[in-house]
Amino acid sequence: MNDVAIPDRLVLASASPRRRELVSVLGLELPVRLLPTGADESVAGTLSPGEIVLELSRRKAEAAADALRGEQSAESSSGNDLVLGADTIVVLDGAVLGKPADREDAVSALMALSGRTHEVYTGVTLLSCPGDRAVSRWQRTLVTMKPFGIESARRYAATGEPLDKAGDYDTTMHLGDIGQYRVLSQSPSGQPEVIVGHTVSKVTFRPMSDAEIEAYVKTGEPLDKAGSYGAQGLGAVFIEKIEGDFFSIMGLPLNLLYQMLLKFGISPFQEK
């Protein structure tokens, strides 16, 4: 870790005060800046939920990195920023439940979730900035390094193909059975440039009455939330059980983020 050039600042590619609060829980000894982006959030229907959150977190990080490079160019200055992009989706029976279009849409989503178990996926991207190299390398790597599980890696290794190839193997690090991350790009000196990861948790809602759903929607809380509820707010009263990472359901898995930050030499346990 001593050989890693520690970033001067963490840039959160988000307008979410909740994610900013979660980052602050780590008590990092570096400034944190919020930099919202207008990244395109449309995705191909062929992507799996895990691939969707990786793709969207990557887009947000890239958009923020582009904005930072523009600022640095205009100011004729350079910094050592680390950009954090994150995205969360709710999945029920394989279908993604995004933010509701209106109150009626929120009511429909909550009725579908009532008394059932759904999944929450959160993707995280850490991207070293400035410099174009990190983004361009990520784009090239994205084509060839599609996320796959440990069993796929074992089957691939069993073919013997990776044995004579440098780098052509699964570099995924697993966090139990709920999360994973991998270094996608690093500098010639071994410095990480792009790290991506995601978690998946299961949330079970108790059966809710129509009156409860209507009253909850009237509070306005569900209207800007994926899946039409906020686990950190009044939506918590409907949650019967959580299997996985609670912070992932809130929008930023701290266990996963901690493991990824360590690769950049950042830790809340560093000596002051």
Side-chain angles (χ1 to χ4, degrees):
M1 187 176 295
N2 292 334
D3 296 328
V4 176
I6 299 176
D8 302 314
R9 180 175 62 172
L10 182 66
V11 178
L12 179 56
S14 174
S16 168
R18 181 64 58 183
R19 286 197 174 109
R20 176 64 179 88
E21 290 174 11
L22 290 175
V23 168
S24 70
V25 169
L26 296 178
L28 302 177
E29 288 292 303
L30 75 167
V32 179
R33 174 185 174 184
L34 254 63
L35 184 57
T37 70
D40 177 20
E41 297 193 22
S42 60
V43 294
T46 55
L47 294 182
S48 69
E51 291 168 335
I52 289 173
V53 292
L54 287 178
E55 170 70 11
L56 295 182
S57 69
R58 184 267 305 177
R59 287 185 194 173
K60 293 177 181 180
E62 284 186 357
D66 286 342
L68 288 170
R69 282 191 287 270
E71 291 178 2
Q72 292 162 357
S73 176
E75 298 172 0
S76 298
S77 63
S78 61
N80 185 19
D81 292 329
L82 181 62
V83 180
L84 166 59
D87 190 80
T88 300
I89 61 173
V90 171
V91 179
L92 178 66
D93 295 334
V96 176
L97 301 182
K99 296 178 181 179
D102 50 34
R103 291 192 174 189
E104 182 178 343
D105 193 21
V107 168
S108 296
L110 290 166
M111 285 183 171
L113 295 173
S114 178
R116 303 188 61 196
T117 299
H118 61 273
E119 297 174 319
V120 178
Y121 287 77
T122 295
V124 178
T125 294
L126 288 178
L127 188 155
S128 181
C129 184
D132 295 330
R133 181 174 59 201
V135 175
S136 62
R137 269 200 188 182
W138 158 263
Q139 291 170 334
R140 289 199 301 272
T141 307
L142 181 65
V143 177
T144 59
M145 294 182 68
K146 196 174 180 181
F148 54 93
I150 189 65
E151 289 304 320
S152 296
R154 287 171 178 161
R155 288 195 296 270
Y156 177 46
T159 68
E161 180 178 339
L163 301 182
D164 62 348
K165 295 181 175 61
D168 290 344
Y169 53 86
D170 184 16
T171 58
T172 302
M173 301 296 294
H174 294 264
L175 279 71
D177 59 355
I178 67 165
Q180 59 182 256
Y181 70 96
R182 60 164 54 183
V183 177
L184 284 189
S185 173
Q186 60 185 19
S187 69
S189 65
Q191 177 89 2
E193 291 179 328
V194 180
I195 303 180
V196 299
H198 79 279
T199 59
V200 56
S201 301
K202 293 182 179 181
V203 179
T204 301
F205 272 21
R206 65 170 175 79
M208 300 177 286
S209 69
D210 291 351
E212 284 179 311
I213 292 175
E214 292 283 355
Y216 178 49
V217 171
K218 285 181 180 178
T219 68
E221 181 178 277
L223 301 182
D224 64 344
K225 304 287 192 303
S228 299
Y229 75 93
Q232 71 279 8
L234 273 175
V237 303
F238 303 128
I239 296 176
E240 184 175 274
K241 181 173 64 173
I242 292 175
E243 299 172 78
D245 186 340
F246 173 70
F247 292 105
S248 177
I249 297 167
M250 290 178 64
L252 192 63
L254 295 185
N255 183 12
L256 174 66
L257 178 59
Y258 167 70
Q259 299 291 338
M260 294 169 65
L261 287 172
L262 287 177
K263 297 294 185 180
F264 289 93
I266 300 172
S267 170
F269 306 119
Q270 288 168 335
E271 292 185 8
K272 305 298 188 287

